[in-house]
Amino acid sequence: MLFNSFEFILFLVTVILFHWMMKPAYRWVALLLASYLFYMSWEPTYILLILVSTSIDYFTCLYLTGSTDKKKKKIGLAVSVFLNLGLLFTFKYFNFFQEALHDLFSLFSIQYEPNVSSLLLPVGISFYTFQTISYSIDVYRNEIQSEKHFGKFALYVSFFPQLIAGPIERAKGLLGQINEPSTKLKINQVKEGLTLFIWGLFKKVVVADNAQIIADHYFNNSEFQNGGSLLFAAFLFTVQIYADFSGYSDMAIGTAKLIGVELSTNFKSPYFSQSIAEFWKRWHITLSLWLRDYVYIPLGGSRIGKLSHLRNLFITFFLAGIWHGASWNFIVWGVLHAILIIVEKLLKIDRPSKRSFFKTIRILLNFCLIILTMIPVRTEGLPEMLSVFNQISQIHWNDLYFAVVQYKISGAMIGILFLFIMEATIARNSIVAIINKPLLVIYSWAISVIILILLLGDNNGDAFFYFQF
Amino acid sequence: MTLKKILYRSILFLGMLILTDQLVGYILDKKYQSNLCNFANGEVNEYIKYKSCDTLFIGSSRVLNMIDPAVLGPKTTNLGKQQKHNYYHTCIVDLLAKNNKLPKKTLILNLEVCDLFMENEPSLINQVNSLKYYYTSNELVQSFINKQGWQERLKFLSSTYRHNSSGLLLVTNSLEGVCLNYPSNGYFPLEPSVYDSIRLARSLMEDFDPIVNKRFNNTIFKNISFVKSICDKNEIQLIIIDAPYYKVHPEYKMASIAIEKYCSKKDIRFIDFKYEKIPGLENKNNWYDNMHTNKNGTKIYNQYLKQKIYQ
C-alpha cells in the first residue's frame, strides 16, 4: 500500500476516524492493528520478522533495566545488537557477501560457488532495525527506561507512517507520545499535516516520477548516450531521489500529525547546502544523527586526534554507504562522501559562507559535486558506473545543452522549478511555513499544487526509491 | 477557530478548487480538439477531421516505422503509434467507427503476439491511458481505464485529469508553435545508422527471456472479435498481420498458432510475416533492432507485403 495510492488514502481516513473515536488509553490498539495491516499489505509473512525483532528488543531491554551487573548488561546489549544485525545481514547482505567472497577467491584462482539466498528483501528492514538498535543502546546507556508494555513497544517499532522509509525515530520522542497521546485533534496539526501530505505527494508524483522517466531513458541505454545527456540524467536522478525520499518523509510526518503524533524532521532543503558536511546536516537527518550518536561519537568523534578523527569520519560514511544497499556502488558512494568531507575538513572549507555571492557559488559547486556522487547510486555495477564517469569526463557542452533543451518544458522540469523556487523562498526548512501566510496565498498554493498533481502527476503508482533500503 | 469558520473556509477552498479545475479542463479540452500535431493524439484528430483512405494500417511502432504508404499505394494511411498495442488499437478502431472514419476498403491491424500473454495485461491497459480525453464519451475507453481499479472513477471527477500527462504539451507546444508533423501518410522511417548493428546485437540478447506466464489473455481474442464486428457492419475487410522479426522468440510460435486458429474460425485473413522468408531481410544491415526494420528494410518488407495482400 503506497502513500501515493487511493487505497492508502482510504486506509488513512479509516484509521484517523477510528483513532480519534477511541478513548486515548486504547488508541495504541487501533494504531498497532493499522500498522501491522499496513505492513502485511506488502508481504503478510514478513510481519513475523517485525514480531521477532520487537520481541528481541523488548525482552533484552527488560533484562538490561533489571540488571545492575555491568558485564551482564553488556552481554545483553550485544545479544540484542547481534540478533538485529543478524536479521538485517540475512535478508539484505547475505547474497552480496557471498558474491564478494566469490570475487575474492577468484582473485587467487580458488573456486567458490556462492550460496545465493532466494529470500526477498523485506521493505523497511534497515529502518526499523536501526530504530530498535537505538532503543536497546539508549536503555543500556540509561538514557531511557525500558518500555514495560509490549503492545506500546510493538507500536513504537511498527508505527505505520514511518515504518517503511523513516524518519528513524528515537524512543524518547515517539514512545513518549505513544504513552501520552494527545487528547484532542489540534487544528494547526491538521493544517500542517494536510500541507505536508499534499506537498509530499507533489514531490513524489510530479517531480520524482517524471524525473525518473527521463533519467531512466538515458541511464537504461547509457552505452548509447553522450556525456552531456548522461550528466543531465545524473542531475535528474539527483532531484528524483531527493523528491522521492523527502516526499515520502513529508507524507509520513503529515500522516502522523493527523493522528496527533509529531515525527522528526528528515530533510531541510539539502541541495541548498554549501558543503558536503552541511549537506549531511540537512539530508536524511535522522540517519545522520543515528550514525553520529551510535557510531561516530562512540568511535571517539573529533576529540581523539586529527588522524583518528578522519578515520572515524571515514568509517561512519562507509557504513552510511553500506546501510543504503548491498552493492559495491553504495560503498563507493559512501566512500566518495567520506573523502569529500575529509578534504573539506583538511582545507577548512566546511563552514558556511555568509556573503551571498560566495554562498551562491558554493551552493552551485556543492550541488554539482552531489550530482556526480549520485552516479554510483543510479548505475548498476562498477563497470557501468566507470563507463558513465568516463563518458561524462569527455563531455561536449553542446550535448548537455541539447539534452536540457529537449526537455526544457516537461512535467519534470516544471515540477523541479516549482520545487526549487518553493525551497529557496517559503519552504527553506519546511513547507509548513506556508500556513502562516495570508489565506489567499495558502489557497493559491494548495490549488496550484493539486492542479499540477492532476495535470502532470505520473499515474503509474511507482514505488518509493528508498523502499529498497 | 470556530467550527463554523472551519466549515466556511473548507467550502470556500473546495469551491475555488472545483472552479479552477473546471476552467483548466475547459481550456485544455479546446486545445485538445484543435490539436492536429503528432502528440497528445493529434494524429488521430487529424485523421478524423481531414483524412480518409482505402487501406488503413493500425499498430505499434512496428507499423509506424515499418509501413510506408508510398510503397503500398496512394490511398493507404499509416496510423501506427509507438508503444501502443492491442487494447489501444481496439479503442482507436471504435473511435474511428463512431466518427464514420473507418477506411473504405481494408483495415490492417498489426497484432503483437506478445500481447497474448497474460502478464502483459497491466501495461496493455495502461496504454489506453493516453486516451483519457475520451473517458466520458467512449464506453470502451472507459471500461479499459476502469479495469485499473475503482479509484479511476474518482479521478475522472476532475476535468483536468482528462489531460493528465498530455495537457502540458498541448499548452506549451502551441505557445511555442511546435508541431511534430510526421509525413502526411503517417510513416516515420528509421534512418540506417552505424549504431544499428550494436542495437540489433543488444536486442538479440535482451528480447529472448523465457515467457513466465504462458496463459493466453482472452481479452485479445474478444478485442479481435469486436474489431471484426465493426468491420463487418461497415462492410470492410479486416486483415491481421504480424510484422517480421530479425529473429523470432521461440515461444511466440504457440501464440501465432492460437491467433491463426482463431482468425480462421472468425473468417479473418491472418498473414504472419514472422515466419515468412522475405528475401533481403536476412541481411542485418536492413534492421534497426530485432523488432524494427530500418528505412531500407521497410522498403523490402513493404514490397513483399504489397504482393501478399493484393495477390
Side-chain angles (χ1 to χ4, degrees):
Chain A
M1 203 186 319
L2 298 168
F3 278 6
N4 50 330
S5 69
F6 268 80
E7 285 84 356
F8 178 74
I9 291 173
L10 202 69
F11 168 81
L12 181 61
V13 171
T14 317
V15 172
I16 290 170
L17 285 176
F18 265 99
H19 177 264
W20 290 110
M21 276 174 356
M22 287 180 98
K23 281 185 180 171
Y26 300 109
R27 281 182 191 155
W28 67 269
V29 181
L31 288 180
L32 183 62
L33 275 174
S35 299
Y36 280 3
L37 270 175
F38 177 76
Y39 196 67
M40 285 163 76
S41 70
W42 268 279
E43 172 60 55
T45 49
Y46 282 154
I47 196 68
L48 295 172
L49 210 63
I50 287 202
L51 279 169
V52 169
S53 185
T54 306
S55 306
I56 291 169
D57 291 283
Y58 177 76
F59 290 111
T60 48
C61 287
L62 280 184
Y63 172 76
L64 287 180
T65 308
S67 171
T68 46
D69 185 338
K70 273 190 177 175
K71 205 174 170 188
K72 281 184 180 172
K73 277 180 90 170
K74 257 188 188 162
I75 293 169
L77 175 68
V79 167
S80 164
V81 173
F82 179 78
L83 290 176
N84 276 308
L85 290 180
L87 282 177
L88 189 62
F89 178 82
T90 310
F91 284 92
K92 189 167 175 177
Y93 299 105
F94 184 76
N95 286 348
F96 170 65
F97 181 70
Q98 287 287 321
E99 279 160 25
L101 270 183
H102 171 260
D103 294 344
L104 184 70
F105 282 126
S106 304
L107 282 178
F108 303 100
S109 307
I110 303 170
Q111 270 210 334
Y112 177 78
E113 257 328 291
N115 191 3
V116 180
S117 151
S118 58
L119 288 171
L120 287 173
L121 179 68
V123 281
I125 188 168
S126 307
F127 290 92
Y128 64 74
T129 303
F130 267 39
Q131 192 157 305
T132 50
I133 290 177
S134 78
Y135 169 76
S136 302
I137 299 175
D138 287 353
V139 171
Y140 170 79
R141 288 173 176 172
N142 288 327
E143 286 177 12
I144 53 166
Q145 285 293 305
S146 65
E147 175 57 52
K148 306 282 183 299
H149 194 296
F150 185 80
K152 287 180 182 172
F153 178 69
L155 177 58
Y156 161 68
V157 178
S158 63
F159 185 52
F160 76 89
Q162 47 86 238
L163 171 63
I164 305 295
I168 302 167
E169 288 295 326
R170 306 290 175 85
K172 235 184 239 174
L174 184 55
L175 205 47
Q177 293 180 74
I178 291 169
N179 278 318
E180 286 170 31
S182 48
T183 46
K184 64 174 185 176
L185 187 60
K186 292 171 194 146
I187 191 71
N188 245 27
Q189 247 180 346
V190 176
K191 277 194 211 167
E192 288 176 8
L194 289 175
T195 305
L196 280 163
F197 195 88
I198 295 171
W199 186 234
L201 189 63
F202 167 82
K203 281 182 180 174
K204 169 66 182 158
V205 299
V206 177
V207 184
D209 289 350
N210 281 317
Q212 182 187 0
I213 293 168
I214 309 173
D216 282 357
H217 166 74
Y218 288 120
F219 274 116
N220 291 347
N221 300 288
S222 60
E223 67 268 44
F224 296 121
Q225 308 299 338
N226 55 52
S229 305
L230 287 172
L231 188 60
F232 178 55
F235 158 76
L236 288 169
F237 176 70
T238 305
V239 179
Q240 176 208 329
I241 198 166
Y242 166 63
D244 189 287
F245 191 19
S246 71
Y248 181 91
S249 288
D250 286 346
M251 282 195 264
I253 297 167
T255 302
K257 276 182 191 284
L258 296 174
I259 305 166
V261 174
E262 294 291 336
L263 296 180
S264 313
T265 305
N266 222 10
F267 292 90
K268 284 183 181 173
S269 308
Y271 293 158
F272 287 87
S273 308
Q274 295 181 48
S275 62
I276 298 292
E278 190 189 350
F279 169 78
W280 278 98
K281 285 176 189 156
R282 292 160 161 241
W283 172 276
H284 203 175
I285 297 166
T286 53
L287 175 71
S288 302
L289 293 177
W290 196 101
L291 289 167
R292 185 197 68 185
D293 294 347
Y294 303 110
V295 178
Y296 178 70
I297 291 175
L299 282 171
S302 60
R303 295 179 180 178
I304 49 164
K306 205 167 185 177
L307 262 180
S308 305
H309 175 209
L310 300 181
R311 179 207 63 195
N312 295 343
L313 280 171
F314 188 86
I315 293 172
T316 308
F317 281 96
F318 176 84
L319 287 176
I322 206 160
W323 176 88
H324 281 83
S327 82
W328 289 110
N329 287 45
F330 284 107
I331 294 174
V332 170
W333 176 68
V335 168
L336 275 177
H337 275 265
I339 292 169
L340 288 169
I341 284 194
I342 289 169
V343 169
E344 280 177 358
K345 289 265 173 229
L346 292 174
L347 299 177
K348 294 181 179 161
I349 50 168
D350 54 338
R351 300 230 170 104
S353 177
K354 279 174 188 156
R355 289 161 69 182
S356 58
F357 174 74
F358 290 113
K359 205 171 152 181
T360 313
I361 297 290
R362 284 187 61 181
I363 287 172
L364 286 173
L365 284 176
N366 197 54
F367 186 51
C368 291
L369 274 179
I370 292 166
I371 291 173
L372 292 176
T373 60
M374 284 294 180
I375 290 171
V377 179
R378 177 58 185 79
T379 47
E380 282 165 25
L382 293 180
E384 192 192 340
M385 180 190 83
L386 292 173
S387 151
V388 170
F389 273 123
N390 183 37
Q391 280 158 284
I392 289 177
S393 71
Q394 297 163 24
I395 190 171
H396 294 289
W397 295 103
N398 265 352
D399 294 335
L400 177 64
Y401 172 77
F402 286 125
V404 176
V405 164
Q406 199 183 341
Y407 289 104
K408 68 179 188 297
I409 304 175
S410 57
M413 296 304 256
I414 288 181
I416 291 169
L417 193 69
F418 193 80
L419 172 69
F420 279 6
I421 288 174
M422 287 304 295
E423 293 210 343
T425 54
I426 301 167
R428 275 186 192 162
N429 286 328
S430 170
I431 193 67
V432 292
I434 202 154
I435 64 169
N436 299 320
K437 302 281 170 197
L439 203 61
L440 191 68
V441 176
I442 303 172
Y443 282 11
S444 308
W445 172 83
I447 290 170
S448 308
V449 170
I450 293 171
I451 294 291
L452 283 173
I453 290 171
L454 288 167
L455 193 61
L456 306 176
D458 182 40
N459 196 28
N460 291 329
D462 294 326
F464 288 85
F465 193 86
Y466 260 68
F467 282 11
Q468 60 185 296
F469 304 147
Chain B
M1 204 188 290
T2 60
L3 190 66
K4 203 174 158 187
K5 209 169 174 184
I6 294 171
L7 254 162
Y8 166 74
R9 286 192 176 180
S10 304
I11 291 168
L12 181 70
F13 177 73
L14 273 175
M16 282 170 70
L17 181 64
I18 292 168
L19 206 69
T20 315
D21 174 61
Q22 291 296 321
L23 188 69
V24 173
Y26 175 79
I27 294 168
L28 292 174
D29 279 354
K30 291 283 163 206
K31 286 270 172 211
Y32 186 94
Q33 286 151 13
S34 61
N35 175 38
L36 303 175
C37 303
N38 203 288
F39 53 82
N41 297 319
E43 74 287 355
V44 179
N45 267 347
E46 188 191 23
Y47 180 82
I48 290 174
K49 282 192 175 171
Y50 301 113
K51 286 183 179 174
S52 66
C53 62
D54 286 350
T55 306
L56 178 67
F57 279 85
I58 292 181
S60 62
S61 57
R62 276 155 51 77
V63 164
L64 177 72
N65 308 128
M66 289 172 72
I67 295 293
D68 182 1
V71 178
L72 293 160
K75 290 182 178 172
T76 307
T77 296
N78 177 338
L79 206 55
K81 193 155 174 100
Q82 227 169 11
Q83 291 177 348
K84 299 286 184 251
H85 289 208
N86 181 267
Y87 287 31
Y88 174 89
H89 301 149
T90 311
C91 293
I92 291 292
V93 173
D94 192 41
L95 284 171
L96 296 185
K98 295 214 160 106
N99 284 283
N100 295 320
K101 276 293 179 177
L102 285 169
K104 286 174 192 142
K105 289 181 183 163
T106 316
L107 174 69
I108 303 179
L109 193 67
N110 190 93
L111 183 72
E112 301 299 329
V113 276
C114 57
D115 291 356
L116 223 67
F117 297 106
M118 195 67 182
E119 60 189 323
N120 288 316
E121 190 166 37
S123 71
L124 287 172
I125 296 171
N126 199 17
Q127 291 165 13
V128 181
N129 278 332
S130 64
L131 296 171
K132 282 190 193 102
Y133 170 76
Y134 299 99
Y135 181 87
T136 41
S137 60
N138 187 292
E139 280 175 24
L140 189 67
V141 172
Q142 195 177 94
S143 71
F144 278 135
I145 289 178
N146 284 350
K147 270 190 170 188
Q148 291 173 116
W150 57 270
Q151 69 278 9
E152 291 306 315
R153 290 175 180 84
L154 284 180
K155 289 181 189 171
F156 279 94
L157 290 175
S158 151
S159 299
T160 307
Y161 186 69
R162 281 206 298 273
H163 299 281
N164 170 274
S165 81
S166 64
L168 182 68
L169 282 178
L170 287 171
V171 177
T172 55
N173 283 5
S174 72
L175 284 176
E176 284 189 292
V178 176
C179 186
L180 306 167
N181 262 329
Y182 291 167
S184 60
N185 60 20
Y187 169 52
F188 187 74
L190 295 168
E191 297 292 341
S193 87
V194 287
Y195 293 113
D196 284 356
S197 56
I198 306 170
R199 210 180 290 110
L200 176 63
R202 192 180 147 172
S203 64
L204 281 172
M205 285 197 308
E206 288 176 352
D207 293 354
F208 290 86
D209 287 341
I211 292 165
V212 184
N213 191 347
K214 295 187 176 70
R215 271 176 57 205
F216 290 148
N217 177 358
N218 282 323
T219 312
I220 302 291
F221 295 118
K222 280 184 199 159
N223 289 345
I224 295 174
S225 173
F226 179 74
V227 172
K228 170 72 174 156
S229 70
I230 289 178
C231 289
D232 287 348
K233 216 157 103 192
N234 291 277
E235 294 175 350
I236 57 172
Q237 189 194 9
L238 171 67
I239 301 176
I240 291 179
I241 60 167
D242 193 1
Y245 287 79
Y246 180 71
K247 204 174 163 194
V248 188
H249 191 299
E251 291 181 275
Y252 284 176
K253 187 74 193 171
M254 55 181 170
S256 287
I257 294 169
I259 294 167
E260 197 169 358
K261 262 188 189 171
Y262 187 79
C263 286
S264 104
K265 199 171 95 183
K266 290 273 170 184
D267 197 22
I268 300 169
R269 193 170 166 205
F270 174 57
I271 313 171
D272 197 348
F273 292 101
K274 287 197 302 292
Y275 300 111
E276 303 241 346
K277 281 204 167 164
I278 304 173
L281 287 192
E282 70 284 355
N283 181 352
K284 63 179 182 182
N285 291 332
N286 290 321
W287 289 84
Y288 174 85
D289 61 21
N290 186 44
M291 296 171 79
H292 303 91
T293 48
N294 60 25
K295 196 179 176 181
N296 300 337
T298 296
K299 220 174 246 175
I300 297 168
Y301 163 51
N302 284 192
Q303 273 156 359
Y304 186 84
L305 181 139
K306 190 179 176 182
Q307 277 181 358
K308 265 281 190 194
I309 288 175
Y310 300 118
Q311 73 185 6

